[in-house]
Every structure is written in C-alpha cells, then in structure tokens.
Coordinates of all heavy atoms in Angstrom, one line a residue:
V92 N -3.6 16.3 20.7 CA -4.2 15.1 20.4 C -4.1 14.8 18.9 O -3.8 13.7 18.5 CB -5.7 15.1 20.7 CG1 -6.4 13.9 20.2 CG2 -5.9 15.3 22.2
M93 N -4.3 15.9 18.1 CA -4.2 15.6 16.6 C -2.8 15.2 16.1 O -2.7 14.4 15.2 CB -4.6 17.0 15.9 CG -6.1 17.1 15.8 SD -6.9 15.8 14.9 CE -8.5 16.2 15.1
P94 N -1.7 15.9 16.6 CA -0.4 15.4 16.1 C -0.1 13.9 16.3 O 0.4 13.2 15.5 CB 0.6 16.3 16.8 CG -0.1 17.5 17.1 CD -1.5 17.0 17.4
S95 N -0.5 13.4 17.6 CA -0.3 12.0 17.9 C -1.2 11.1 17.0 O -0.7 10.1 16.6 CB -0.5 11.8 19.3 OG -1.8 12.0 19.7
L96 N -2.4 11.6 16.8 CA -3.3 10.8 15.9 C -2.8 10.7 14.5 O -2.9 9.7 13.8 CB -4.7 11.3 16.0 CG -5.8 10.7 15.1 CD1 -6.0 9.2 15.5 CD2 -7.1 11.5 15.1
S97 N -2.3 11.9 14.0 CA -1.8 12.0 12.7 C -0.6 11.1 12.5 O -0.5 10.3 11.5 CB -1.3 13.5 12.4 OG -0.6 13.5 11.2
F98 N 0.3 11.1 13.5 CA 1.5 10.2 13.4 C 1.1 8.8 13.5 O 1.6 7.9 12.7 CB 2.5 10.5 14.6 CG 3.6 9.7 14.6 CD1 4.7 9.8 13.7 CD2 3.7 8.6 15.5 CE1 5.8 9.0 13.8 CE2 4.8 7.7 15.6 CZ 5.9 7.9 14.7
L99 N 0.2 8.4 14.4 CA -0.3 7.0 14.5 C -0.9 6.6 13.2 O -0.6 5.4 12.7 CB -1.3 6.9 15.6 CG -1.9 5.5 15.8 CD1 -0.8 4.6 16.4 CD2 -3.0 5.6 16.8
L100 N -1.8 7.3 12.5 CA -2.4 6.9 11.3 C -1.4 6.8 10.2 O -1.4 5.8 9.4 CB -3.4 8.0 10.9 CG -4.8 7.8 11.5 CD1 -5.7 9.1 11.1 CD2 -5.5 6.6 11.2
T101 N -0.4 7.7 10.1 CA 0.6 7.6 9.0 C 1.5 6.4 9.3 O 1.9 5.7 8.3 CB 1.4 8.9 9.0 OG1 0.5 10.0 8.8 CG2 2.4 8.9 7.9
A102 N 1.9 6.2 10.5 CA 2.8 5.1 10.8 C 2.1 3.7 10.6 O 2.7 2.8 9.9 CB 3.3 5.1 12.3
V103 N 0.9 3.6 11.0 CA 0.2 2.3 10.8 C -0.1 2.1 9.4 O 0.1 1.0 8.8 CB -1.1 2.2 11.6 CG1 -1.9 1.0 11.3 CG2 -0.8 2.2 13.1
G104 N -0.4 3.2 8.6 CA -0.6 3.1 7.2 C 0.6 2.6 6.4 O 0.6 1.8 5.5
A105 N 1.8 3.2 6.9 CA 3.0 2.8 6.2 C 3.4 1.4 6.5 O 3.9 0.7 5.6 CB 4.1 3.8 6.7
V106 N 3.2 0.9 7.7 CA 3.5 -0.5 8.0 C 2.5 -1.4 7.2 O 3.0 -2.4 6.7 CB 3.3 -0.7 9.6 CG1 3.4 -2.2 9.9 CG2 4.4 0.0 10.3
L107 N 1.3 -1.0 7.1 CA 0.3 -1.9 6.3 C 0.8 -1.9 4.8 O 0.6 -2.9 4.2 CB -1.1 -1.3 6.4 CG -1.9 -1.7 7.7 CD1 -3.2 -1.0 7.7 CD2 -2.0 -3.2 7.7
M108 N 1.2 -0.7 4.3 CA 1.7 -0.7 2.9 C 2.9 -1.6 2.7 O 3.0 -2.3 1.7 CB 2.0 0.8 2.6 CG 2.3 1.0 1.1 SD 0.9 0.8 0.0 CE 0.1 2.4 0.3
L109 N 3.9 -1.6 3.6 CA 5.0 -2.4 3.5 C 4.6 -3.9 3.7 O 5.1 -4.8 2.9 CB 6.0 -2.2 4.7 CG 6.8 -0.8 4.5 CD1 7.6 -0.6 5.8 CD2 7.7 -0.8 3.3
H110 N 3.6 -4.2 4.5 CA 3.1 -5.6 4.6 C 2.4 -6.0 3.3 O 2.6 -7.2 2.8 CB 2.1 -5.7 5.7 CG 1.6 -7.1 5.9 ND1 0.4 -7.5 5.4 CD2 2.1 -8.2 6.5 CE1 0.2 -8.8 5.6 NE2 1.3 -9.3 6.4
A111 N 1.7 -5.1 2.6 CA 1.1 -5.5 1.3 C 2.2 -5.7 0.3 O 2.0 -6.6 -0.5 CB 0.2 -4.3 0.8
A112 N 3.2 -4.9 0.3 CA 4.3 -5.2 -0.7 C 4.9 -6.6 -0.4 O 5.2 -7.3 -1.3 CB 5.3 -4.1 -0.6
Y113 N 5.2 -6.9 0.9 CA 5.7 -8.2 1.2 C 4.8 -9.3 0.8 O 5.3 -10.4 0.3 CB 6.0 -8.2 2.7 CG 6.6 -9.5 3.1 CD1 7.9 -9.9 2.9 CD2 5.8 -10.5 3.7 CE1 8.4 -11.2 3.3 CE2 6.3 -11.8 4.1 CZ 7.6 -12.1 3.9 OH 8.1 -13.3 4.3
S114 N 3.5 -9.1 1.0 CA 2.5 -10.1 0.7 C 2.5 -10.4 -0.8 O 2.4 -11.6 -1.3 CB 1.1 -9.7 1.1 OG 1.1 -9.7 2.5
C115 N 2.7 -9.3 -1.6 CA 2.7 -9.4 -3.0 C 3.9 -10.2 -3.5 O 3.9 -11.1 -4.4 CB 2.6 -8.1 -3.7 SG 2.2 -8.1 -5.5
M116 N 5.1 -9.9 -3.0 CA 6.3 -10.6 -3.3 C 6.2 -12.1 -2.8 O 6.7 -13.0 -3.6 CB 7.5 -10.0 -2.6 CG 7.8 -8.6 -3.3 SD 8.0 -8.6 -5.0 CE 9.5 -9.4 -5.2
H117 N 5.6 -12.3 -1.7 CA 5.5 -13.7 -1.2 C 4.5 -14.5 -2.1 O 4.8 -15.7 -2.4 CB 4.9 -13.8 0.2 CG 4.8 -15.1 0.8 ND1 3.5 -15.7 1.0 CD2 5.7 -15.9 1.3 CE1 3.8 -16.9 1.5 NE2 5.1 -17.0 1.7
Y118 N 3.5 -13.9 -2.6 CA 2.6 -14.6 -3.5 C 3.3 -14.9 -4.8 O 3.1 -16.0 -5.4 CB 1.4 -13.6 -3.8 CG 0.4 -14.1 -4.9 CD1 -0.4 -15.2 -4.7 CD2 0.4 -13.4 -6.2 CE1 -1.2 -15.6 -5.7 CE2 -0.5 -13.9 -7.1 CZ -1.3 -15.0 -6.9 OH -2.1 -15.4 -7.8
R119 N 4.2 -13.9 -5.3 CA 4.9 -14.2 -6.6 C 5.9 -15.3 -6.3 O 6.1 -16.2 -7.2 CB 5.6 -13.0 -7.0 CG 6.4 -13.1 -8.2 CD 7.0 -11.8 -8.6 NE 7.9 -11.8 -9.8 CZ 7.5 -11.9 -11.0 NH1 6.2 -11.7 -11.3 NH2 8.4 -12.0 -12.0
S120 N 6.6 -15.4 -5.2 CA 7.5 -16.5 -4.9 C 6.8 -17.9 -4.8 O 7.3 -18.9 -5.2 CB 8.3 -16.2 -3.6 OG 7.5 -16.3 -2.5
L121 N 5.5 -17.9 -4.3 CA 4.8 -19.1 -4.2 C 4.4 -19.6 -5.6 O 4.5 -20.8 -5.9 CB 3.5 -18.9 -3.4 CG 3.6 -18.8 -1.9 CD1 2.3 -18.5 -1.2 CD2 4.3 -20.0 -1.3
L122 N 4.1 -18.6 -6.5 CA 3.8 -19.0 -7.9 C 5.1 -19.6 -8.6 O 4.9 -20.6 -9.3 CB 3.3 -17.8 -8.6 CG 1.8 -17.4 -8.3 CD1 1.5 -16.2 -9.1 CD2 0.8 -18.4 -8.4
Q123 N 6.2 -19.1 -8.3 CA 7.5 -19.5 -8.8 C 7.8 -21.0 -8.3 O 8.3 -21.8 -9.1 CB 8.6 -18.6 -8.5 CG 8.5 -17.3 -9.4 CD 9.6 -16.3 -9.1 OE1 10.3 -16.5 -8.1 NE2 9.8 -15.3 -9.9
D124 N 7.5 -21.1 -7.0 CA 7.8 -22.4 -6.4 C 6.9 -23.5 -7.0 O 7.3 -24.7 -7.1 CB 7.6 -22.4 -4.9 CG 8.7 -21.6 -4.2 OD1 9.8 -21.4 -4.8 OD2 8.5 -21.2 -3.0
M125 N 5.7 -23.2 -7.4 CA 4.8 -24.2 -7.9 C 4.9 -24.3 -9.4 O 4.1 -24.8 -10.1 CB 3.3 -23.8 -7.5 CG 3.1 -23.9 -6.1 SD 1.3 -23.8 -5.6 CE 1.0 -22.0 -6.0
D126 N 5.9 -23.6 -10.0 CA 6.1 -23.6 -11.4 C 5.0 -23.0 -12.2 O 4.7 -23.4 -13.3 CB 6.6 -24.9 -12.0 CG 7.9 -25.4 -11.4 OD1 8.8 -24.5 -11.2 OD2 8.1 -26.6 -11.2
L127 N 4.2 -22.1 -11.6 CA 3.2 -21.4 -12.3 C 3.6 -20.1 -13.0 O 2.9 -19.5 -13.8 CB 2.0 -21.1 -11.4 CG 1.3 -22.4 -10.8 CD1 0.3 -22.0 -9.7 CD2 0.7 -23.2 -11.9
I128 N 4.8 -19.7 -12.7 CA 5.4 -18.5 -13.2 C 6.9 -18.8 -13.4 O 7.6 -19.4 -12.6 CB 5.2 -17.3 -12.3 CG1 5.7 -16.0 -13.0 CG2 5.9 -17.5 -11.0 CD1 5.3 -14.7 -12.2
Q129 N 7.4 -18.3 -14.6 CA 8.8 -18.6 -14.8 C 9.7 -17.4 -14.4 O 9.1 -16.3 -14.2 CB 9.0 -18.8 -16.4 CG 8.3 -20.0 -16.9 CD 8.4 -20.1 -18.4 OE1 8.9 -19.3 -19.1 NE2 7.7 -21.2 -18.9
E130 N 10.9 -17.6 -14.3 CA 11.9 -16.6 -13.8 C 11.9 -15.4 -14.7 O 12.1 -14.2 -14.3 CB 13.3 -17.2 -13.6 CG 13.4 -18.1 -12.5 CD 13.3 -17.5 -11.1 OE1 13.6 -16.3 -11.0 OE2 12.8 -18.2 -10.3
D131 N 11.7 -15.6 -16.0 CA 11.8 -14.4 -16.9 C 10.5 -13.7 -17.1 O 10.4 -12.7 -17.9 CB 12.3 -14.9 -18.3 CG 11.3 -16.0 -18.9 OD1 10.4 -16.4 -18.3 OD2 11.6 -16.4 -20.1
G132 N 9.4 -14.1 -16.3 CA 8.2 -13.4 -16.4 C 7.1 -13.9 -17.3 O 6.1 -13.3 -17.5
Q133 N 7.4 -15.0 -18.0 CA 6.5 -15.5 -18.9 C 5.4 -16.4 -18.2 O 5.7 -16.8 -17.0 CB 7.2 -16.5 -19.9 CG 8.2 -15.8 -20.8 CD 7.6 -14.7 -21.7 OE1 6.5 -14.9 -22.2 NE2 8.3 -13.6 -21.8
N134 N 4.3 -16.5 -18.8 CA 3.1 -17.2 -18.1 C 2.8 -16.6 -16.7 O 2.5 -17.3 -15.8 CB 3.4 -18.7 -18.0 CG 3.7 -19.4 -19.2 OD1 3.1 -19.0 -20.3 ND2 4.5 -20.3 -19.3
E135 N 2.9 -15.3 -16.7 CA 2.7 -14.6 -15.4 C 1.2 -14.4 -15.1 O 0.3 -14.2 -15.9 CB 3.3 -13.2 -15.6 CG 3.6 -12.6 -14.2 CD 4.5 -11.3 -14.4 OE1 5.3 -11.3 -15.4 OE2 4.3 -10.4 -13.7
Y136 N 0.9 -14.6 -13.8 CA -0.5 -14.3 -13.3 C -0.5 -12.8 -12.9 O 0.1 -12.5 -11.9 CB -0.9 -15.2 -12.2 CG -1.1 -16.7 -12.5 CD1 -1.2 -17.6 -11.5 CD2 -1.3 -17.1 -13.8 CE1 -1.4 -18.9 -11.8 CE2 -1.5 -18.4 -14.1 CZ -1.6 -19.3 -13.1 OH -1.9 -20.6 -13.4
P137 N -1.1 -12.0 -13.7 CA -1.0 -10.5 -13.4 C -1.8 -10.1 -12.2 O -1.6 -8.9 -11.7 CB -1.5 -9.9 -14.6 CG -2.4 -10.8 -15.2 CD -1.9 -12.2 -14.8
I138 N -2.7 -10.9 -11.7 CA -3.6 -10.4 -10.7 C -3.3 -10.9 -9.3 O -3.3 -12.1 -9.1 CB -5.1 -10.7 -10.9 CG1 -5.5 -10.2 -12.3 CG2 -6.0 -10.3 -9.9 CD1 -6.8 -10.6 -12.8
P139 N -2.8 -10.1 -8.4 CA -2.5 -10.5 -7.0 C -3.8 -10.8 -6.3 O -4.9 -10.4 -6.8 CB -1.8 -9.3 -6.4 CG -1.4 -8.4 -7.5 CD -2.3 -8.7 -8.6
P140 N -3.8 -11.5 -5.1 CA -5.0 -11.7 -4.4 C -5.7 -10.4 -4.0 O -5.1 -9.4 -3.9 CB -4.5 -12.4 -3.2 CG -3.2 -13.0 -3.5 CD -2.6 -12.1 -4.5
M141 N -7.0 -10.5 -3.8 CA -7.9 -9.3 -3.5 C -7.5 -8.7 -2.2 O -7.6 -7.5 -2.0 CB -9.3 -9.8 -3.6 CG -10.3 -8.5 -3.5 SD -9.9 -7.4 -4.7 CE -11.3 -7.5 -5.7
D142 N -7.0 -9.5 -1.2 CA -6.7 -8.9 0.1 C -5.5 -7.9 0.0 O -5.4 -7.0 0.8 CB -6.4 -10.0 1.1 CG -5.2 -10.8 0.8 OD1 -4.9 -10.9 -0.4 OD2 -4.5 -11.3 1.7
I143 N -4.7 -8.1 -1.0 CA -3.6 -7.1 -1.2 C -4.1 -5.8 -1.7 O -3.7 -4.8 -1.2 CB -2.5 -7.7 -2.2 CG1 -1.9 -8.9 -1.5 CG2 -1.5 -6.6 -2.6 CD1 -0.9 -9.6 -2.4
Y144 N -5.1 -5.9 -2.6 CA -5.7 -4.6 -3.1 C -6.4 -3.9 -2.0 O -6.3 -2.7 -1.9 CB -6.7 -4.9 -4.2 CG -6.1 -5.2 -5.5 CD1 -6.2 -6.5 -6.1 CD2 -5.5 -4.3 -6.3 CE1 -5.6 -6.8 -7.3 CE2 -4.9 -4.6 -7.5 CZ -5.0 -5.8 -8.0 OH -4.4 -6.1 -9.2
V145 N -7.1 -4.6 -1.1 CA -7.8 -4.1 0.0 C -6.8 -3.4 1.0 O -7.0 -2.3 1.4 CB -8.8 -5.1 0.7 CG1 -9.3 -4.5 2.0 CG2 -9.9 -5.5 -0.2
E146 N -5.8 -4.1 1.3 CA -4.7 -3.6 2.2 C -4.1 -2.4 1.7 O -3.8 -1.4 2.4 CB -3.7 -4.7 2.5 CG -2.8 -4.4 3.6 CD -2.0 -5.6 4.0 OE1 -2.0 -6.7 3.3 OE2 -1.2 -5.5 5.0
V147 N -3.8 -2.3 0.4 CA -3.1 -1.2 -0.2 C -4.1 0.1 -0.2 O -3.7 1.1 0.2 CB -2.7 -1.4 -1.6 CG1 -2.3 -0.1 -2.4 CG2 -1.5 -2.3 -1.7
T148 N -5.4 -0.2 -0.4 CA -6.4 0.9 -0.4 C -6.5 1.4 1.0 O -6.6 2.7 1.2 CB -7.7 0.4 -1.0 OG1 -7.5 -0.2 -2.3 CG2 -8.7 1.5 -1.0
V149 N -6.7 0.5 2.0 CA -6.8 1.0 3.4 C -5.6 1.7 3.9 O -5.7 2.8 4.5 CB -7.1 -0.2 4.2 CG1 -7.1 0.1 5.7 CG2 -8.5 -0.8 3.9
S150 N -4.4 1.2 3.6 CA -3.2 1.8 4.0 C -3.0 3.2 3.3 O -2.6 4.2 4.0 CB -1.9 0.9 3.8 OG -1.7 0.7 2.4
F151 N -3.3 3.3 2.1 CA -3.2 4.6 1.4 C -4.2 5.6 2.0 O -3.8 6.7 2.2 CB -3.5 4.5 -0.1 CG -3.4 5.8 -0.9 CD1 -2.2 6.3 -1.1 CD2 -4.6 6.4 -1.3 CE1 -2.2 7.5 -1.8 CE2 -4.5 7.6 -1.9 CZ -3.3 8.1 -2.2
A152 N -5.4 5.2 2.3 CA -6.4 6.1 2.9 C -5.9 6.5 4.3 O -6.0 7.7 4.7 CB -7.7 5.4 3.0
M153 N -5.3 5.6 5.0 CA -4.8 5.9 6.4 C -3.6 6.9 6.3 O -3.5 7.9 7.1 CB -4.3 4.7 7.1 CG -5.5 3.8 7.6 SD -4.9 2.3 8.4 CE -4.4 2.9 10.0
I154 N -2.7 6.8 5.4 CA -1.6 7.7 5.2 C -2.1 9.0 4.8 O -1.7 10.1 5.3 CB -0.6 7.1 4.2 CG1 0.1 5.9 4.8 CG2 0.5 8.1 3.8 CD1 1.0 5.1 3.8
L155 N -3.0 9.0 3.8 CA -3.5 10.3 3.3 C -4.3 11.0 4.3 O -4.0 12.2 4.6 CB -4.5 10.0 2.1 CG -5.1 11.2 1.4 CD1 -4.1 12.1 0.8 CD2 -6.2 10.7 0.5
F156 N -5.1 10.4 5.1 CA -5.9 11.0 6.2 C -4.9 11.5 7.3 O -5.1 12.6 7.8 CB -6.9 10.1 6.7 CG -7.9 10.8 7.7 CD1 -8.7 11.8 7.3 CD2 -7.9 10.4 9.0 CE1 -9.6 12.4 8.1 CE2 -8.7 11.0 10.0 CZ -9.6 12.0 9.5
G157 N -3.9 10.7 7.6 CA -3.0 11.2 8.6 C -2.2 12.3 8.3 O -2.0 13.3 9.1
E158 N -1.9 12.5 7.0 CA -1.1 13.6 6.5 C -2.1 14.9 6.4 O -1.6 16.0 6.6 CB -0.4 13.4 5.2 CG 0.7 12.4 5.3 CD 1.9 12.9 6.2 OE1 2.2 14.1 6.1 OE2 2.4 12.1 7.0
L159 N -3.3 14.6 6.0 CA -4.2 15.7 5.8 C -4.5 16.4 7.2 O -4.7 17.6 7.3 CB -5.5 15.3 5.2 CG -5.4 15.1 3.7 CD1 -6.7 14.6 3.1 CD2 -5.0 16.4 2.9
I160 N -4.7 15.6 8.2 CA -5.1 16.2 9.5 C -3.9 16.8 10.2 O -4.0 17.6 11.1 CB -5.8 15.2 10.5 CG1 -4.9 14.0 10.8 CG2 -7.1 14.7 9.9 CD1 -5.5 13.1 11.9
S161 N -2.7 16.5 9.7 CA -1.5 17.1 10.3 C -1.2 18.5 9.8 O -0.5 19.2 10.4 CB -0.3 16.2 10.1 OG 0.2 16.2 8.7
V162 N -1.8 18.7 8.6 CA -1.6 20.0 8.0 C -2.2 21.2 8.8 O -1.7 22.3 9.0 CB -2.1 20.1 6.5 CG1 -2.0 21.5 6.0 CG2 -1.2 19.2 5.7
G163 N -3.4 21.0 9.3 CA -4.2 22.0 10.0 C -5.1 22.8 9.1 O -5.3 22.4 7.9
S164 N -5.5 23.9 9.6 CA -6.4 24.7 8.8 C -5.7 25.5 7.7 O -4.6 25.9 7.9 CB -7.3 25.6 9.7 OG -6.4 26.5 10.3
L165 N -6.4 25.7 6.6 CA -5.8 26.5 5.5 C -5.9 28.0 5.8 O -6.8 28.4 6.5 CB -6.5 26.2 4.2 CG -6.4 24.7 3.7 CD1 -7.2 24.5 2.5 CD2 -4.9 24.3 3.5
Q166 N -5.0 28.7 5.3 CA -5.0 30.2 5.4 C -5.3 30.8 4.1 O -4.9 30.3 3.1 CB -3.7 30.7 6.0 CG -3.4 30.1 7.4 CD -2.1 30.6 7.9 OE1 -1.4 31.3 7.3 NE2 -1.7 30.1 9.1
S167 N -5.8 32.0 4.1 CA -6.1 32.7 2.9 C -4.8 33.2 2.3 O -3.9 33.6 3.0 CB -7.1 33.8 3.1 OG -6.5 34.8 3.9
A168 N -4.8 33.3 0.9 CA -3.6 33.8 0.2 C -4.1 35.1 -0.5 O -5.1 35.1 -1.3 CB -3.2 32.8 -0.8
D169 N -3.4 36.2 -0.2 CA -3.7 37.4 -0.8 C -2.9 37.6 -2.1 O -1.6 37.5 -2.0 CB -3.4 38.6 0.1 CG -4.3 38.6 1.4 OD1 -5.5 38.2 1.2 OD2 -3.9 39.0 2.4
I170 N -3.5 37.8 -3.2 CA -2.8 37.9 -4.5 C -2.2 39.3 -4.6 O -1.0 39.5 -5.0 CB -3.8 37.7 -5.6 CG1 -4.2 36.2 -5.5 CG2 -3.1 37.9 -6.9 CD1 -5.3 35.8 -6.5
F171 N -2.9 40.4 -4.3 CA -2.3 41.7 -4.4 C -2.4 42.4 -3.0 O -3.2 42.4 -2.2 CB -3.2 42.6 -5.4 CG -3.0 42.0 -6.7 CD1 -4.1 41.3 -7.3 CD2 -1.9 42.2 -7.5 CE1 -4.0 40.9 -8.6 CE2 -1.8 41.7 -8.8 CZ -2.8 41.0 -9.4

C-alpha cells in the first residue's frame, strides 16, 4: 500500500508543480500582451498571483511527503 501511495503523491505533486510553472509563464505572457511588462524585463511585476504560491507549496509538500514515506524506517548506524 505504501509504495503505491508514495508514487501517487510524488506523481500528483510533480504534475501540480509543472502546472504552477505553466501558470506563472502564462501570467507573464498575459502581462506582456497587455504591455504591462516589456520584453527586456523592465517595468516587471515581480509578484505572481497568490494561487501559484499556494500550488507550489502544496505540490512541494506532496512530493516531499511521498518521498519520505517511500524511504521506510531508518536503521541504526554503528560507528565502531
């Protein structure tokens, strides 16, 4: 059960992260189309919409949790 849940969380988190990147690029292209941002980066609006921040945070947490549960339990390390 855990490997499939781990894969599911990681995959959905990765898809959400790609969607957030696409949304950010789409937002930037909309600003360029409305002449609110120039091609050389002047007059740039540095803050993307809040939903992109939320989506990145949720997707990062999903990827992190998916990878953490795939590791399993830790084992002790003997130094000597």
Side-chain angles (χ1 to χ4, degrees):
V92 173
M93 281 299 178
S95 62
L96 178 63
S97 168
F98 177 76
L99 182 68
L100 281 173
T101 304
V103 171
V106 169
L107 280 176
M108 188 70 77
L109 290 173
H110 181 265
Y113 178 79
S114 295
C115 195
M116 294 304 294
H117 184 253
Y118 174 70
R119 183 175 171 86
S120 71
L121 287 176
L122 291 178
Q123 286 176 349
D124 289 344
M125 293 187 296
D126 292 330
L127 296 174
I128 186 173
Q129 297 173 1
E130 291 292 329
D131 59 358
Q133 299 296 323
N134 300 328
E135 201 169 329
Y136 290 167
I138 301 174
M141 188 55 114
D142 64 332
I143 294 176
Y144 285 111
V145 171
E146 192 171 3
V147 166
T148 303
V149 168
S150 64
F151 178 75
M153 289 176 74
I154 292 170
L155 179 66
F156 188 65
E158 291 298 316
L159 284 177
I160 63 173
S161 72
V162 172
S164 61
L165 299 176
Q166 297 179 0
S167 64
D169 295 327
I170 296 175
F171 295 103

